[in-house]
Amino acid sequence: MRRALELAAKAEHRTSPNPMVGAVVLDKEGRVAGEGFHQRAGEAHAEPIALEAAGERARGGTLYVTLEPCPHQGRTPPCVSAVIAAGVARVVVALEDPDSKARGAGVAALRAAGIAVEVGVEAAAATRLNEFYVKHRTVGLPFVTAKFAMSLDGKIATAGGESRWISGDAARAEAHRMRRAHDAILVGVNTVLMDDPELTARGEAGARQPLRVVVDSTLKTPATAQVAGPNTLIATTSAASKKQASLLVEANADVQTLPAAGGGVDLAALLEALAARGVLSVLAEGGGEVLGDLFDRGLVDKVVAFIAPSVIGGRGAPVAVAGQGVEVLAKAARLVKVEVRLVGDDIMVSGYVQRHR
């Protein structure tokens, strides 16, 4: 199963909105006969690839797969049918598919065909591998990663607004890898006005480009901004200028009016709208007010912070996370499963937000 998980991870989220899946076939003597992984949405799934590679050696053997084989017709035929036709005697599944269209149905179909099925081997690793997909299918919202780069004293820019570059080359390369992995990048309009970012994923030829999402309650985004164009969603409210909305639409941006909350766009409503579009994951890159609102509302699942070995200072210098914050430390967002490593000269701290009972 660990080999199947390694194979699945090679897809690097290019399968979205599908999960990443790997499969390994052993023959009757327990030798590897075939293996494969789902490489991209719309292409062949892991099980048929591995079974085709194994050929007749699959008959009477064992299939290891990281996610329950799908029982339904999508852009590709049902994997359950391929597994049954291959004549394997046993199937070992890491994780039951959380999708309501498949949950337990694939396992039931295999057992009905006389195939022995074991579920739950390396389930924790399989869940983490597909944490974006699992969150979307179980909660109905995208998985939200809050990512920011800051100085040792928590500043994301100088008092005068200079922010390029707080982190080093290696940290920025890692940030682009994260962009390639997520379905959408989320920033506030102040970031657009200050930095005029492209919000694209670079560093890999032909990289999958995430949806660019700007939170802009009154539509201050200029139609000439680099982000104003195709593959961009600008989330606004009824307070927005209709004239500016027309200009942005002419620039081929998608302008969506959402409910307001706390004087700005209701970020929970925005996440629901993104989930309805098939967005499994959101990389929230700031600024401080957007990240603060996400934390205040308990909408962040994971944090990745790059800490540069510098001190900026300044009472007016912006901080990584603003918002209302908490009044007592007991209510602070705490991270679990924390990992710390050096990325160039910067320290990268990552972890999952602990949900309070």
Side-chain angles (χ1 to χ4, degrees):
M1 187 62 76
R2 289 177 182 171
R3 173 57 181 164
L5 288 165
E6 288 176 3
L7 289 167
K10 289 185 176 183
E12 295 182 331
H13 298 279
R14 288 185 292 269
T15 57
S16 186
N18 294 345
M20 295 182 289
V21 182
V24 177
V25 179
L26 304 184
D27 63 19
K28 288 186 287 188
E29 283 72 43
R31 296 170 299 197
V32 174
E35 59 183 31
F37 66 97
H38 183 36
Q39 297 186 29
R40 201 177 294 271
E43 296 183 4
H45 288 191
E47 300 95 319
I49 294 173
L51 291 166
E52 183 177 352
E56 279 301 308
R57 293 177 64 193
R59 196 162 299 278
T62 299
L63 169 68
Y64 284 83
V65 62
T66 58
L67 190 73
E68 176 183 9
C70 58
H72 54 276
Q73 176 73 43
R75 283 190 278 181
T76 58
C79 291
V80 164
S81 301
V83 175
I84 294 171
V88 298
R90 178 171 170 255
V91 175
V92 181
V93 176
L95 185 68
E96 182 180 87
D97 194 333
D99 192 309
S100 59
K101 294 185 295 185
R103 194 177 302 146
V107 168
L110 294 174
R111 286 173 174 160
I115 298 173
V117 182
E118 182 180 353
V119 181
V121 176
E122 297 286 351
T127 300
R128 185 165 184 176
L129 174 74
N130 277 309
E131 58 193 7
F132 299 166
Y133 176 78
V134 171
K135 167 84 181 290
H136 184 272
R137 292 302 196 271
T138 55
V139 180
L141 293 173
F143 186 99
V144 177
T145 304
K147 191 274 292 182
F148 48 88
M150 65 182 188
S151 61
L152 281 172
D153 55 335
K155 308 296 186 180
I156 60 172
T158 66
E162 183 184 354
S163 61
R164 295 185 178 182
W165 295 102
I166 288 177
S167 58
D169 291 344
R172 293 199 298 276
E174 179 66 16
H176 278 287
R177 186 200 65 76
M178 293 175 63
R179 285 184 175 185
R180 295 194 297 270
H182 286 75
D183 290 342
I185 302 174
L186 175 68
V187 300
V189 66
N190 288 337
T191 297
V192 173
L193 296 175
M194 290 290 294
D195 300 336
D196 192 21
E198 293 182 49
L199 297 184
T200 54
R202 298 184 288 278
E204 180 183 276
R208 180 177 73 108
Q209 291 299 326
L211 175 68
R212 303 178 295 182
V213 182
V214 179
V215 180
D216 184 357
S217 60
T218 58
L219 284 189
K220 296 178 182 176
T221 302
T224 54
Q226 292 193 93
V227 76
N231 198 38
T232 294
L233 170 66
I234 301 179
T236 191
T237 67
S238 58
S241 159
K242 290 183 172 57
K243 179 180 178 181
Q244 186 62 17
S246 296
L247 292 174
L248 290 166
V249 170
E250 286 178 11
N252 292 315
D254 180 6
V255 178
Q256 185 168 0
T257 302
L258 293 168
V265 174
D266 185 334
L267 295 186
L270 172 57
L271 292 179
E272 288 175 3
L274 291 173
R277 294 170 67 118
V279 171
L280 305 188
S281 56
V282 173
L283 182 64
E285 294 195 350
E289 292 300 330
V290 168
L291 290 179
D293 196 7
L294 287 169
F295 276 105
D296 288 343
R297 304 192 64 177
L299 297 172
V300 177
D301 296 291
K302 186 176 183 179
V303 175
V304 178
F306 296 96
I307 305 170
S310 61
V311 175
I312 293 175
R315 292 186 183 87
V319 296
V321 180
Q324 293 181 354
V326 298
E327 294 183 0
V328 294
L329 287 174
K331 293 184 178 180
R334 289 192 61 84
L335 304 186
V336 295
K337 300 178 183 177
V338 176
E339 296 180 3
V340 180
R341 65 184 175 95
L342 274 177
V343 180
D345 291 330
D346 301 310
I347 300 169
M348 187 177 94
V349 180
S350 63
Y352 295 85
V353 177
Q354 185 178 41
R355 299 301 179 198
H356 295 292
R357 293 179 181 272

